[in-house]
Amino acid sequence: MAGAEGERWVGLATDFSEGSRAALRWAAANLLRAGDHLLLLHVIKEPDYEQSEAILWESTGSPLIPLSEFSDPIIAKKYGAKPDIETLDILNTTATQKEIMVVVKVLWGDPREKLCQVIHDTPLSCLVIGSRGLGKLKRVLLGSVSDYVVNNATCPVTVVKSSSTEG
């Protein structure tokens, strides 16, 4: 994947929240450039084995899904994903304006472990992840995905804080 001359793979972790959209907007404005490949990583904590193909891909994650296919609600549902219209719109606009290729990989399990696994298995140039803005106590009790990934990833990680007051 990565490594070919001039080819850059940028990872973007998403849970389709406002924090993830803020990370996507930041990456589009500050990081992505023509010719890049954007790998959108979506981790589903608890797979619905009856409604998705999770059982087929649980250990490795889904195959790479082109954005044009993932934008189809029927295809997204096959993988148990529920992308929102706003995120898909930002992705499609960015892909066109920045001349980048966007692919999606759906994973199932603990987001901290699965993101680090995919970073290890896929030589990314970097990963961008949003922050939910948990307070110190919640972060200690629940664990922060972004904190874990920053400390365990094998590539540079940028954490983007959302400017909204969610959380």
Side-chain angles (χ1 to χ4, degrees), residues 65-122:
I65 309 161
L67 179 59
S68 58
E69 290 180 28
F70 191 73
S71 295
D72 179 340
I74 295 169
I75 301 291
K77 186 178 179 182
K78 257 178 57 171
Y79 294 99
K82 296 173 184 144
D84 63 288
I85 299 295
E86 187 178 354
T87 299
L88 292 173
D89 185 47
I90 296 167
L91 285 166
N92 281 296
T93 300
T94 301
T96 301
Q97 290 178 349
K98 295 279 185 172
E99 298 176 2
I100 63 168
M101 182 174 68
V102 179
V103 291
V104 181
K105 186 168 186 75
V106 179
L107 303 125
W108 295 271
D110 182 322
R112 296 170 293 195
E113 293 173 9
K114 291 297 182 174
L115 289 172
C116 287
Q117 175 190 335
V118 101
I119 291 167
H120 180 267
D121 295 345
T122 308

Side-chain angles (χ1 to χ4, degrees), residues 42-55:
H42 177 57
V43 183
I44 299 170
K45 285 183 187 177
E46 297 174 11
D48 180 349
Y49 294 108
E50 292 185 19
Q51 297 296 317
S52 72
E53 296 192 5
I55 199 161

Side-chain angles (χ1 to χ4, degrees), residues 11-84:
L12 184 103
T14 185
D15 60 2
F16 303 111
S17 66
E18 181 53 40
S20 292
R21 284 188 293 279
L24 173 56
R25 286 186 200 97
W26 182 89
N30 300 291
L31 182 64
L32 296 169
R33 60 182 185 231
D36 282 349
H37 294 76
L38 178 63
L39 176 59
L40 192 73
L41 300 167
H42 177 57
V43 183
I44 299 170
K45 285 183 187 177
E46 297 174 11
D48 180 349
Y49 294 108
E50 292 185 19
Q51 297 296 317
S52 72
E53 296 192 5
I55 199 161
L56 297 174
W57 307 107
E58 189 171 15
S59 63
T60 60
S62 73
L64 297 181
I65 309 161
L67 179 59
S68 58
E69 290 180 28
F70 191 73
S71 295
D72 179 340
I74 295 169
I75 301 291
K77 186 178 179 182
K78 257 178 57 171
Y79 294 99
K82 296 173 184 144
D84 63 288

